Amino acid sequence: MNLLIDIGNTNLRWTGYGDGVSWSVQVVRHSGGVPLDLLAAWESHPAPARILVSNVGGEAVAGALCRVTRAYWGLEPEFIRTRAEQDGLRIAYADPARFGVDRWLTLIAAHAEARQATLILDAGTAATFDLLLADGRHLGGLILPGIEMMRTSLLAGTRIPRIESEPVGDPWAADTGTAVAAGSVQALAALADRLFDRLAVESGDTPRLLLTGGDAERLRPALDRPCVEIPDLVLRGLARLTGRSSAC
């Protein structure tokens, strides 16, 4: 049994993976450390053979994770690093170290599941877009503030009141607070539609749109193009690396 861990900017996702092990993804907010409910869950967890980690959440949470896994199981986590080429996937970045490991793992998972042109939208604290051709060539991508970051940055510089409810129905709004809430969603959805259409032209085929990340459910109703929501896409990419003697 392997332990797969995806440390994002806000949340930590994890699951066991291996023969006879059910795929059951758990999600906690990490706040730069290992939260108590996760410590409790792992205290009775069987010792894994390996611990594979995707970390974009920073050094503090990585250090805390190492202390916990050493104390519980005497194991060091394997922090995955981006590679220029992997299983037919070739990233566009000249320097692989500058390409987020979470984005790389979503590409690995997408390319393994289907050899098809694919647009991946990871809607989290930041929103990332990555374009992939059927032959495994990564065209590049875009990064924007996520839904909450967009709203927070605008409200911090204005006197507009914050509206907690989510916009429904029309993509426009009839009051200012709701217009901010709707605008953050519609901006990401409109860019997804634009990139989807450009990828269709670039690839000469109809691409897939894969939606992942903590805000995927909030964003999905605003998308005009057909999409498949896969909340655990980073973990699926980690699972593809478990058969290697060294995944780092």
Side-chain angles (χ1 to χ4, degrees):
M1 187 272 293
N2 301 283
L3 186 62
L4 310 180
I5 303 172
D6 167 23
I7 304 172
N9 291 299
T10 303
N11 293 327
L12 182 152
R13 292 175 170 80
W14 66 278
T15 184
Y17 176 71
D19 294 337
V21 179
S22 62
W23 183 272
S24 178
V25 177
Q26 308 297 314
V27 184
V28 296
R29 285 184 173 267
H30 59 70
S31 300
V34 179
L36 291 176
D37 50 351
L38 184 56
L39 291 175
W42 283 357
E43 191 170 14
S44 58
H45 197 280
R50 299 172 68 187
I51 304 169
L52 274 64
V53 184
S54 165
N55 178 31
V56 297
E59 293 300 321
V61 65
L65 176 67
C66 289
R67 291 190 291 273
V68 170
T69 61
R70 289 172 194 147
Y72 280 9
W73 305 302
L75 287 176
E76 293 288 339
E78 300 176 43
F79 290 94
I80 306 305
R81 299 289 181 262
T82 302
R83 295 175 177 172
E85 297 189 21
Q86 179 79 41
D87 298 333
L89 169 70
R90 304 178 303 282
I91 64 171
Y93 280 37
D95 181 1
R98 298 181 65 84
F99 188 62
V101 66
D102 54 341
R103 295 171 63 191
W104 183 65
L105 288 165
T106 63
L107 289 170
I108 287 177
H111 190 56
E113 290 183 5
R115 299 299 197 261
Q116 182 181 354
T118 303
L119 171 63
I120 301 172
L121 168 49
D122 189 342
T125 304
T128 63
F129 299 78
D130 281 290
L131 294 85
L132 178 67
L133 295 180
D135 64 2
R137 182 160 56 95
H138 173 229
L139 296 178
L142 296 171
I143 303 175
L144 274 74
I147 292 173
E148 286 303 318
M149 191 175 290
M150 277 195 205
R151 295 178 184 178
T152 300
S153 63
L154 179 57
L155 295 174
T158 67
R159 296 181 181 272
I160 300 172
R162 185 176 184 88
I163 301 296
E164 296 298 339
S165 61
E166 290 300 308
V168 294
D170 293 329
W172 50 83
D175 66 84
T176 303
T178 307
V180 172
S184 60
V185 172
Q186 293 298 326
L188 297 179
L191 181 55
D193 291 342
R194 177 179 175 83
L195 292 176
F196 182 95
D197 293 346
R198 291 292 296 270
L199 182 56
V201 173
E202 184 73 23
S203 65
D205 199 358
T206 301
R208 295 180 298 167
L209 172 54
L210 299 185
L211 183 60
T212 192
D215 280 335
E217 188 174 349
R218 300 167 74 184
L219 187 56
R220 178 166 44 83
L223 294 168
D224 289 337
R225 306 298 181 270
C227 71
V228 177
E229 186 177 339
I230 307 178
D232 54 0
L233 199 57
V234 172
L235 291 172
R236 293 190 189 199
L238 280 173
R240 302 296 305 184
L241 303 180
T242 56
R244 300 180 178 278
S245 58
S246 176
C248 297

